[in-house]
Amino acid sequence: MGAYLLRRAVQAIPVLIGISLAAFLLIHLVPGDPARILLGAQATPKAVATLHEQLGLDRPLPTQYLNFITGAVHFEFGESLSQKVGVGKLIGTRAEVTLLLLMMATLLSITIAVPLAVAAALRRNRPVDHSIRLFSMFTFAMPSFLLGLLLILFFSLKLKWLPTSGYGSGFGGHLRALILPALTVGLYLAPILLRTLRIGIIDTLGTEYIEAARARGLARRLIIFKHVLKNSVIPTVTVLGLNIGFLLSGLVVIENVFSLPGLGSELVTAIGNRDYPTIQALTLVFGVSVVAINLLTDLLYSYLDPRVRL
Amino acid sequence: MNGTASELLAVRDLTIGFPAPGGLLLAADGIDFDVAVGRTVGLVGESGCGKSVTLRSLLGLVPYPGEVLAGTIHWRGEEMLTASGKRQATLRGTEISMIFQDPTSCLNPVFTVGNQMVETLRKRAGLGRREARTRAMELLDRVGLSAPEKRLAAYPHELSGGMRQRVMIAISIATRPRLLLADEPTTALDVTTQEQILALLKELQAEDGMAILLVSHDLGVISETCDEVVVMYAGRMLEAGYDREVMRSPRHPYTRGLIEAMPSLEVTDEEPPVPIGGQPPDLTALPPGCPFQPRCKFVRDQCAEIPVALDATLAEHGSACPFEGVRS
Ligand SMILES: Nc1ncnc2c1ncn2[C@@H]1O[C@H](COP(=O)(O)OP(=O)(O)OP(=O)(O)O)[C@@H](O)[C@H]1O
Ligand SMILES: [Mg+2]
């Protein structure tokens, strides 16, 4: 397993270099002088020069890139241009929100998808299966901002169970504040998992080793929840990994609907303010996270399926 | 033979159907046979003739959407088809156990051999975790696997085909079953391993006195191992009797065809094997009367009218062909 993961990690290195290059070059790909765009047409040449120096734009490109990488390794990306605080620190506090949201959403989606997938697969092509398919199609097809607003309408405004927006205070408050956004994301993710898992279970149920397990006289519950589930979870893990990576950038909408101070809403703010250091840092963070999620998926995959531990 | 003390299994008029485009497909149609204590009975026939489905029905495991449409299965005098699902489940893996054709695909690839053996021993033999492990090692040793400790820690893909089949056999004899169902247990193995596995089964049988119901499309394997033979074709029984009699004086043209198609082990001056001509039957479009007609060298007009049933004139050796393969 070690060798396999090492190989995957090594394969990730060129990807990481690519991401860092893209993030770095971002500022140079914008047409015109970023400092001038930032400061406006009436800026004095002196102010422009100062900003150039602050952003390091006056140095040769390779040096700039090297500095960028060195900084990134220490999670330092210079000063935010719109908020007088270090970008690293800014992103750090916001990453916590997004990470927590993502984890809760994943957990919720698994909690929703697994029992439904088992129920649907065991009663395939019967009313239970059809209703589950209808439900998942519904939550999947609904735009997430709409789903989020509906949840707010019902749980926050009507029942007054949960806050409408914001991040709350204290860990308990954070968790409470994240329930609805996580549910919104989870309800989007669940149908994807459900579908893969349902197919996985149906396929696994037809295998000889499940028949052999039956012939060995194992209880139905043990067969389903041990033998069938572990095998059908394997393809689902890949799908989950891919989608979490994809979701990361999709969180922008959700964080805005619920006014959460996460990475997504920060990205929107930073773009609006042309806060290049923050944009660069966020690009890097998103890219690296996707790579990390993929590695994590591989780790989980090889843990679940001994055949890939080569 | 019905109701004698030595009788374990009595199958009568077993009929199993699958829904098919043109109506119903009978994968087994009026199957009758008995298995007595300690005996080995063989079910032989070409691919698709219903051997596996028949065997699985004995465990209540006819694959969906198939179902048993008629007949009775008596296990030690108790009717099993009408028994509760729970009662059927208690027989599986304890009194009756099964090994399969492809040992590669009948162990769960994501659990170790030890995990699957221990789980079975705990559930079926009621052992504790530690006892189950010890017993698992004894069993692996019993089926001729060296370094049992190492085998327990192995995943199925880390073992060879022959080793996996030995593991399956070890699991299946764990509860000292009275009957072992073996569905083509050696088909996926090379000739040497095949011989070893068959020898192992015989040896275990001699020790524990368990009966074996062996399914194979290979008449060579069947005649080498079995006391009695049932010849199946398109879901029907065409011939049945003691192995020696069937092999020495086959009474159905299909059985004769199977024997002629057998490659002989020794190089002799005899005629080379002759495969049976024609296509294996399409179960959805069988001719009226004898299903073997289209391929029978001795076919005559009456073949479309005679019912397919073993004659009762010879109790020990019946054939469904009243003409005994004699040209009209
Ligand atoms: N799951 C299934 N769905 C539909 N029909 C089936 C199914 N399983 C078996 N059958 C039908 O039952 C017939 C008998 O199948 P069975 O598997 O018992 O054959 P077999 O004699 O064991 O053949 P083989 O030597 O290939 O294993 C097949 O020809 C097929 O038409
Ligand atoms: Mg078969």
Side-chain angles (χ1 to χ4, degrees):
Chain A
M1 177 145 79
Y4 166 76
L5 283 174
L6 195 69
R7 205 163 62 232
R8 300 313 301 248
V10 170
Q11 282 166 358
I13 290 174
V15 182
L16 287 174
I17 294 176
I19 291 169
S20 69
L21 266 175
F24 167 71
L25 288 175
L26 203 68
I27 198 165
H28 298 280
L29 293 176
V30 192
D33 181 349
R36 188 159 289 284
I37 294 171
L38 208 57
L39 295 171
Q42 304 93 320
T44 60
K46 190 165 179 296
V48 173
T50 319
L51 189 57
H52 263 200
E53 203 189 322
Q54 192 193 331
L55 294 177
L57 294 176
D58 50 346
R59 270 160 278 177
L61 265 187
T63 319
Q64 284 187 44
Y65 178 64
L66 217 64
N67 288 344
F68 177 68
I69 292 295
T70 324
V73 170
H74 297 97
F75 209 65
E76 272 163 21
F77 303 93
E79 187 105 324
S80 160
L81 296 183
S82 56
Q83 302 168 55
K84 293 297 155 217
V85 57
V87 172
K89 195 152 173 256
L90 184 73
I91 289 182
T93 51
R94 292 185 159 240
E96 179 202 298
V97 181
T98 301
L99 194 68
L100 207 58
L101 172 58
L102 213 52
M103 275 172 19
M104 274 178 74
T106 307
L107 224 60
L108 273 174
S109 67
I110 293 172
T111 318
I112 297 168
V114 172
L116 288 184
V118 172
L122 293 184
R123 292 178 185 70
R124 64 177 167 284
N125 298 330
R126 281 194 263 164
V128 178
D129 188 21
H130 295 313
S131 345
I132 290 173
R133 181 171 316 144
L134 207 67
F135 160 78
S136 64
M137 228 151 67
F138 183 72
T139 70
F140 181 68
M142 186 145 38
S144 39
F145 69 89
L146 185 62
L147 189 60
L149 289 175
L150 285 178
L151 288 176
I152 292 178
L153 207 65
F154 189 70
F155 288 103
S156 307
L157 298 178
K158 196 160 187 311
L159 296 175
K160 300 201 188 311
W161 283 355
L162 295 163
T164 52
S165 68
Y167 190 41
S169 59
F171 190 66
H174 295 339
L175 287 187
R176 249 172 76 81
L178 284 177
I179 290 178
L180 288 186
L183 193 60
T184 312
V185 179
L187 280 174
Y188 166 80
L189 195 54
I192 304 174
L193 300 186
L194 198 156
R195 189 178 298 193
T196 325
L197 196 55
R198 175 182 170 277
I199 294 290
I201 294 174
I202 290 174
D203 287 348
T204 312
L205 279 173
T207 60
E208 278 222 320
Y209 56 82
I210 294 304
E211 198 188 348
R214 285 201 192 104
R216 275 191 276 149
L218 298 185
R220 185 180 151 85
R221 217 176 322 123
L222 184 73
I223 293 178
I224 305 263
F225 287 101
K226 177 178 172 184
H227 290 271
V228 174
L229 214 50
K230 188 165 176 195
N231 278 282
S232 33
V233 154
I234 292 169
T236 316
V237 164
T238 313
V239 171
L240 179 64
L242 282 175
N243 275 284
I244 291 180
F246 180 70
L247 260 184
L248 212 54
S249 38
L251 289 181
V252 174
V253 177
I254 298 301
E255 287 180 0
N256 271 294
V257 170
F258 289 94
S259 313
L260 286 172
L263 292 178
S265 52
E266 179 57 35
L267 184 63
V268 176
T269 318
I271 291 173
N273 294 333
R274 299 203 185 83
D275 185 350
Y276 287 107
T278 310
I279 297 175
Q280 278 185 319
L282 283 172
T283 312
L284 199 62
V285 166
F286 280 135
V288 172
S289 306
V290 171
V291 172
I293 288 167
N294 275 323
L295 277 177
L296 226 63
T297 311
D298 286 341
L299 180 75
L300 192 58
Y301 197 104
S302 73
Y303 167 74
L304 288 173
D305 190 346
R307 286 165 299 184
V308 304
R309 294 176 202 164
L310 298 171
Chain B
M1 250 197 260
N2 219 340
T4 54
S6 69
E7 181 192 294
L8 274 184
L9 181 73
V11 175
R12 292 289 173 272
D13 190 32
L14 182 67
T15 305
I16 302 167
F18 285 91
L24 206 59
L25 171 163
L26 297 181
D29 188 357
I31 303 295
D32 297 309
F33 64 90
D34 297 312
V35 182
V37 174
R39 303 285 280 180
T40 306
V41 177
L43 281 183
V44 66
E46 287 168 306
S47 182
C49 71
K51 307 178 297 284
S52 297
V53 169
T54 302
L55 205 63
R56 278 159 176 72
S57 73
L58 304 177
L59 287 178
L61 294 177
V62 174
Y64 179 84
E67 58 181 324
V68 176
L69 301 173
T72 57
I73 297 173
H74 279 95
W75 172 253
R76 304 176 71 208
E78 183 186 353
E79 170 56 48
M80 292 315 300
L81 281 176
T82 51
S84 68
K86 208 172 157 190
R87 175 77 189 114
Q88 290 184 5
T90 57
L91 285 188
R92 291 204 278 272
T94 51
E95 292 193 62
I96 308 178
S97 59
M98 182 158 175
I99 55 178
F100 296 81
Q101 169 167 351
D102 187 358
T104 310
S105 55
C106 53
L107 285 165
N108 194 332
V110 304
F111 293 104
T112 60
V113 167
N115 182 315
Q116 298 180 62
M117 287 193 78
V118 166
E119 147 196 279
T120 313
L121 286 164
R122 294 187 66 189
K123 292 286 161 201
R124 307 313 301 176
L127 301 180
R129 189 178 293 277
R130 179 130 5 117
E131 298 158 86
R133 260 192 83 82
T134 317
R135 180 96 177 94
M137 280 195 274
E138 284 167 19
L139 285 165
L140 288 181
D141 189 51
R142 182 68 205 82
V143 298
L145 281 176
S146 57
E149 187 115 26
K150 204 172 123 211
R151 307 294 174 224
L152 283 186
Y155 284 94
H157 71 275
E158 295 165 338
L159 305 179
S160 71
M163 281 153 109
R164 278 187 283 243
Q165 194 58 291
R166 283 175 198 271
V167 169
M168 284 309 291
I169 294 173
I171 293 177
S172 67
I173 60 165
T175 50
R176 299 179 151 258
R178 294 170 193 272
L179 174 63
L180 177 69
L181 307 177
D183 191 354
E184 312 242 14
T186 59
T187 307
L189 307 174
D190 62 74
V191 182
T192 326
T193 320
Q194 181 168 328
E195 291 296 325
Q196 289 169 355
I197 295 289
L198 289 178
L200 173 65
L201 287 179
K202 283 262 131 196
E203 200 183 310
L204 293 170
Q205 179 176 41
E207 254 168 54
D208 282 4
M210 70 181 173
I212 298 178
L213 183 53
L214 177 70
V215 157
S216 181
H217 63 267
D218 184 345
L219 194 57
V221 167
I222 295 285
S223 70
E224 183 186 329
T225 332
C226 297
D227 306 314
E228 287 150 60
V229 189
V230 175
V231 180
M232 282 181 76
Y233 185 85
R236 320 287 177 86
M237 275 170 82
L238 294 189
E239 182 157 358
Y242 288 122
D243 169 64
R244 285 176 44 212
E245 307 211 0
V246 172
M247 293 303 290
R248 197 186 317 137
S249 46
R251 296 179 51 205
H252 198 286
Y254 176 57
T255 316
R256 269 190 222 167
L258 286 178
I259 294 175
E260 280 164 17
M262 265 169 70
S264 64
L265 287 176
E266 308 92 54
V267 186
T268 57
D269 297 335
E270 286 171 47
E271 319 89 88
V274 197
I276 302 176
Q279 297 296 311
D282 173 4
L283 295 192
T284 55
L286 290 177
C290 175
F292 189 58
Q293 292 171 67
R295 301 167 72 186
C296 185
K297 285 189 278 188
F298 309 104
V299 65
R300 50 173 93 184
D301 294 343
Q302 296 99 306
C303 290
E305 282 137 39
I306 49 158
V308 184
L310 293 199
D311 60 59
T313 49
L314 283 167
E316 323 272 59
H317 183 181
S319 160
C321 182
F323 313 117
E324 311 232 332
V326 176
R327 236 177 265 274
S328 58

